[in-house]
Amino acid sequence: MSGPVLVRTRAELADQLAPARRAGQRVGLVPTMGALHEGHASLVRVAREHVDQGPVVVSVFVNPLQFGEAADLESYPRTLEADLEVCAREGVDVVFAPTVDEVYPGGDPEVTVEPGPLADVLEGRTRPGHYRGVLTVVAKLFGLVRPDVAVFGQKDYQQLVLIRRMVADLCQGVEVVGAETRREPDGLAMSSRNVHLDPEQREQAVALSRTLYAAVEASGYGAKVALDAARGELRAAEGVDLDYLEITDPALAVLPDDVPDGTDARVLIAARVGSTRLIDNLPLVLGRPQPSADQPSPDQPHHQE
Ligand code: PAF
């Protein structure tokens, strides 16, 4: 198994990708902040499906611009050796792991990507400036890698919606693919943050996905009943400090009170378990009965989205 080529600078990245560009191959990008797990590995597999023979690039960069607290930035796991092993297993061609100076040579950029009003709802309410930082670094990575296709997880659904919006509004010409959330056998969404959960919190954390699946199960009766069912599930949960639980339309807009049967929607949750903030979401269809098989059980691995 030959590993990916590790490049640290813009120039090395350009050199590595030059042959593929000359050959007219498609280039795929999976932007990450490292601490790679099976969820990231699945993004790589999705990228591979979209590039034919072309190279898949994984960027590993802990982006200071998207962190509020300096302590969060410092404590973010940095595991490049292990990340390279994951990339080798998945047949990644190039890992781009630049330093902060390489990405922001002049320090904090004066020009950033203004994410608009969608960045003020949901995650944005407690993380001001976060999505400006995310969109700015993603725009820079698009400029450096010049991918034809970029793959992001649906787990940070707001991020995915905002990136699609940026690509459309700024005519960036990158195909953005949203990949399904990978889940542990009991339903917990895979996340780099799960390592911070102690065994008791790990058990408690499954309440987030249970809450979402309760909403999905009840969504045939409309948004209000779905939310009530979800809140019922949460009331039974211990150790979960809810930040938000909302049902929106797929573009994260507020739904009107009366929506027609068959309206696509999204249910989103954020909560703290101990000091770890977790997010998750699922698609649902309002006013149409959902098959009950959507609910995973501990002995039934399930990756529905
Ligand atoms: O989702 C992430 O890991 C990050 O927000 C991203 C997209 C790599 C930008 O830093």
Side-chain angles (χ1 to χ4, degrees), residues 251-264:
L252 297 178
V254 175
L255 282 164
D257 282 346
D258 284 325
V259 295
D261 267 16
T263 298
D264 285 325

Side-chain angles (χ1 to χ4, degrees), residues 95-108:
V95 171
F96 177 45
T99 60
V100 173
D101 282 348
E102 191 68 21
V103 176
Y104 299 112
D108 277 0

Side-chain angles (χ1 to χ4, degrees), residues 116-290:
L118 258 191
D120 298 332
V121 299
L122 301 165
E123 286 302 286
R125 281 201 292 262
T126 47
R127 305 181 74 187
H130 171 66
Y131 287 115
R132 174 179 293 112
V134 170
L135 294 193
T136 301
V137 81
V138 170
K140 287 182 78 103
L141 290 168
F142 284 178
L144 293 168
V145 178
R146 292 194 284 129
D148 298 278
V149 57
V151 183
F152 297 86
Q154 292 180 11
K155 196 178 88 56
D156 190 340
Y157 188 73
Q158 189 171 3
Q159 168 172 284
L160 176 62
V161 170
L162 278 160
I163 289 168
R164 284 192 200 286
R165 189 75 204 221
M166 170 178 77
V167 167
D169 286 357
L170 301 184
C171 309
Q172 288 173 317
V174 177
E175 182 190 348
V176 174
V177 176
E180 288 180 10
T181 302
R182 301 288 296 178
R183 296 183 180 280
E184 302 292 349
D186 64 0
L188 178 69
M190 290 185 185
S191 164
S192 309
R193 295 179 178 214
N194 293 353
V195 295
H196 299 306
L197 301 168
D198 68 26
E200 189 186 8
Q201 292 165 344
R202 168 64 188 81
E203 276 186 23
Q204 293 168 337
V206 78
L208 273 82
S209 56
R210 280 212 191 106
T211 298
L212 297 179
Y213 283 109
V216 172
E217 291 253 309
S219 60
Y221 303 97
K224 190 180 167 310
V225 176
L227 273 180
D228 284 349
R231 287 193 192 109
E233 187 69 47
L234 262 184
R235 269 194 295 278
E238 275 177 28
V240 176
D241 182 11
L242 182 68
D243 181 354
Y244 60 78
L245 170 66
E246 292 190 27
I247 294 181
T248 69
D249 85 355
L252 297 178
V254 175
L255 282 164
D257 282 346
D258 284 325
V259 295
D261 267 16
T263 298
D264 285 325
R266 202 90 194 175
V267 56
L268 305 105
I269 190 168
R272 270 184 198 281
V273 178
S275 57
T276 307
R277 191 162 183 285
L278 299 173
I279 57 173
D280 198 358
N281 67 87
L282 280 176
L284 40 69
V285 181
L286 296 172
R288 189 190 291 168
Q290 302 292 305

Side-chain angles (χ1 to χ4, degrees), residues 69-86:
E69 312 267 320
D72 282 352
L73 173 62
E74 270 148 39
S75 67
Y76 200 87
R78 285 156 174 91
T79 58
L80 187 59
E81 283 310 309
D83 294 345
L84 289 170
E85 279 170 28
V86 173

